[in-house]
Amino acid sequence: MDYEHYFTKRIADLKSEGRYRVFADLERQKGRFPIALNYRDGEVREVVVWCSNDYLGMGQHPDVIAAAHEALERCGAGAGGTRNISGTNHYHVLLEEELASFNAKEASLLFTSGYVANQTALSTLGATIPGCVVFSDELNHNSMIEGIRHGRSDKHVFRHNDPEHLEQLLSAYPKETPKLVAFESVYSMDGDIAPIAEICDVAEAHNAMTYLDEVHAVGMYGSQGSGVAERDGVRDRITIIQGTLAKAVGVVGGYIAASASCVDYIRSFGPGFIFSSSMPPATAAAALASIRYLRAHPEIRDKHQERAATAKRLLSERGIPVLPSVSHIVPVMVGNAALCKQASDLLLNDHGIYVQPINYPTVPVGTERLRITPTPLHDDSMMAHLVESFCAVWDQLDLHKAHHPKSIK
Ligand code: PMP
């Protein structure tokens, strides 16, 4: 095989489909978020970032930065090993205690990312519980799908957010069969939210464990901000709550929170935990400071919801097709990969607005979109500029006529 030819051809295909990923080269600057510098074509320009998953701007929060500095001064740069071989720093221990209490669970376990947390926890459970059958929501994130795949247990995919379909699939198995139901709370591309209590009703009736990915809810829902399960008062009904420290917490890393024995099991049998070096102490310290702040400041969540609602309202009033979303995520439908990329380029080049195009395979073909994530730090004048810029781009590309489904389900 001519490997070089093969690589080049596959990339050329992506480009011709408008799906080739180009990263915006950014410099986030302390204290200026959502403004960042964008390095492009030999120039440096200021842009307003409208697609960050630093949903609350905590990556720039003074408490978080101070905690990282202090830990860096005390402990240096790296953790020094895997958790088992010299890489457990006291900040990891403190953060795991905090995450357990944050999630109202007995224990928690840190991973280097939310992806690794899902991949490791789900593959470990699927692979090591004899006869375990996994039930997975059809829109689950790639990290969950990969974890379930690697577990190599039997699996079934249930229709998105559909407890009745889940019930049908579960009822094909005897109550004694070990089962695991894996789903998310906030789905990040459509911004819809799972009926957690109903899914728990069904899972409990069949003696199934539940695994809830709260990645797009941590910090943002519930009175202390641990997620939608807290908001809905159902945390005690979830076997394992999984989350990230990279989105609203503003740092990086992932975790699971569960009973002490369940956490000990994954700690003891999960390869992605055991065989990977632990996160730097300064990272753990920053995440700890961020979570402590988020628990004590519900007003940041109110402001965030208000900003998201305002963006949805203002864009919709001007005829921009916002997918009805019950969360903080504002998906604007374009329905074509090339047009989506063009719209994003125009917003960046002509309006100083950065919104990354979202194309297949992140979303299904025909549902390509611009996914806006307003934060509490986007002020009214930024919001007005966003709306005017979207209207200008929609006119310029004649997107009002483009096909954009109201719902993609
Ligand atoms: N779960 C979901 C639903 C996600 O969207 C993501 C990241 N995009 C992850 C897990 C992985 O989290 P992390 O970025 O911390 O690896």
Side-chain angles (χ1 to χ4, degrees):
M1 185 187 214
D2 180 343
Y3 300 112
E4 286 303 313
H5 175 76
Y6 179 76
F7 297 147
T8 318
K9 162 86 179 65
R10 290 298 305 269
I11 293 295
D13 290 347
L14 278 184
K15 285 184 178 163
S16 71
E17 291 161 23
R19 297 200 287 119
Y20 180 67
R21 290 189 164 104
V22 180
F23 302 149
D25 180 352
L26 297 177
E27 181 179 321
R28 279 161 50 100
Q29 296 182 304
K30 190 175 86 175
R32 297 195 71 207
F33 185 73
I35 292 171
L37 299 184
N38 178 211
Y39 292 78
R40 193 164 18 118
D41 307 328
E43 285 179 40
V44 189
R45 289 176 246 195
E46 279 196 357
V47 295
V48 180
V49 179
W50 278 98
C51 59
S52 176
N53 278 346
D54 186 356
Y55 290 123
L56 302 174
M58 290 304 290
Q60 309 262 314
H61 195 280
D63 289 9
V64 176
I65 295 169
H69 267 300
E70 196 201 321
L72 192 63
E73 288 300 327
R74 283 173 76 113
C75 307
T82 61
R83 287 291 296 275
N84 190 41
I85 306 178
S86 95
T88 294
N89 189 277
H90 192 54
Y91 284 111
H92 298 131
V93 176
L94 292 177
L95 180 54
E96 283 176 342
E97 283 169 10
E98 184 76 22
L99 286 166
S101 122
F102 184 42
N103 285 286
K105 294 288 184 195
E106 287 172 358
S108 88
L109 193 67
L110 282 172
F111 296 83
T112 43
S113 73
Y115 194 102
V116 176
N118 274 339
Q119 226 263 351
T120 303
L122 288 167
S123 62
T124 303
L125 293 168
T128 62
I129 299 177
C132 187
V133 183
V134 181
F135 299 81
S136 174
D137 186 286
E138 68 178 324
L139 291 190
N140 274 344
H141 187 256
N142 174 272
S143 53
M144 301 172 85
I145 296 170
E146 286 296 321
I148 293 165
R149 254 191 212 144
H150 277 92
R152 295 193 180 174
S153 62
D154 283 351
K155 68 158 191 292
H156 296 278
V157 175
F158 60 94
R159 283 194 291 272
H160 179 54
N161 280 349
D162 187 343
E164 278 177 27
H165 189 218
L166 174 64
E167 160 70 34
Q168 275 172 29
L169 295 171
L170 283 166
S171 52
Y173 289 87
K175 210 163 175 181
E176 314 77 70
T177 300
K179 305 174 199 79
L180 174 66
V181 176
F183 61 115
E184 299 179 23
S185 56
V186 175
Y187 286 83
S188 69
M189 291 300 145
D190 292 358
D192 56 341
I193 295 184
I196 303 179
E198 284 87 336
I199 290 177
C200 288
D201 289 344
V202 175
E204 283 163 12
H206 293 274
N207 195 27
M209 294 184 286
T210 43
Y211 184 101
L212 178 64
D213 174 319
E214 290 260 35
V215 160
H216 293 277
V218 179
M220 296 170 281
Y221 295 85
S223 67
Q224 290 197 22
S226 80
V228 181
E230 181 192 2
R231 183 197 73 177
D232 293 357
V234 291
R235 286 185 294 186
D236 56 335
R237 301 180 70 188
I238 303 291
T239 317
I240 299 174
I241 296 175
Q242 181 271 357
T244 185
L245 304 171
K247 300 193 193 283
V249 177
V251 192
V252 76
Y255 62 86
I256 56 161
S259 69
S261 59
C262 180
V263 165
D264 205 15
Y265 185 81
I266 291 169
R267 187 186 74 87
S268 304
F269 292 106
F273 175 81
I274 297 171
F275 297 107
S276 186
S277 297
S278 54
M279 66 172 62
T283 304
L288 183 60
S290 181
I291 289 169
R292 285 183 177 158
Y293 182 92
L294 290 170
R295 292 183 82 169
H297 291 273
E299 71 283 357
I300 196 172
R301 289 182 272 287
D302 297 339
K303 175 81 177 166
H304 181 220
Q305 291 295 326
E306 177 277 313
R307 292 285 82 188
T310 302
K312 283 182 219 169
R313 179 175 56 77
L314 294 177
L315 288 164
S316 300
E317 278 171 7
R318 299 289 293 275
I320 303 296
V322 177
L323 196 70
S325 136
V326 290
S327 69
H328 56 282
I329 290 161
V330 184
V332 174
M333 305 309 281
V334 178
N336 173 290
L339 283 173
C340 200
K341 169 93 174 61
Q342 279 176 43
S344 168
D345 287 347
L346 283 173
L347 285 165
L348 189 65
N349 294 329
D350 297 355
H351 302 273
I353 284 180
Y354 170 43
V355 191
Q356 186 72 17
I358 309 280
N359 291 334
Y360 177 82
T362 308
V363 293
V365 171
T367 72
E368 292 81 1
R369 65 197 67 184
L370 296 168
R371 174 182 178 273
I372 304 172
T373 51
T375 73
L377 300 171
H378 287 94
D379 63 23
D380 283 340
S381 74
M382 289 173 183
M383 197 75 84
H385 178 58
L386 174 85
V387 174
E388 291 312 322
S389 305
F390 262 71
C391 290
V393 168
W394 247 246
D395 288 343
Q396 194 173 341
L397 295 178
D398 214 6
L399 285 176
H400 296 284
K401 288 195 201 128
H403 172 67
H404 38 71
K406 266 272 169 277
S407 165
I408 65 156
K409 308 280 150 35

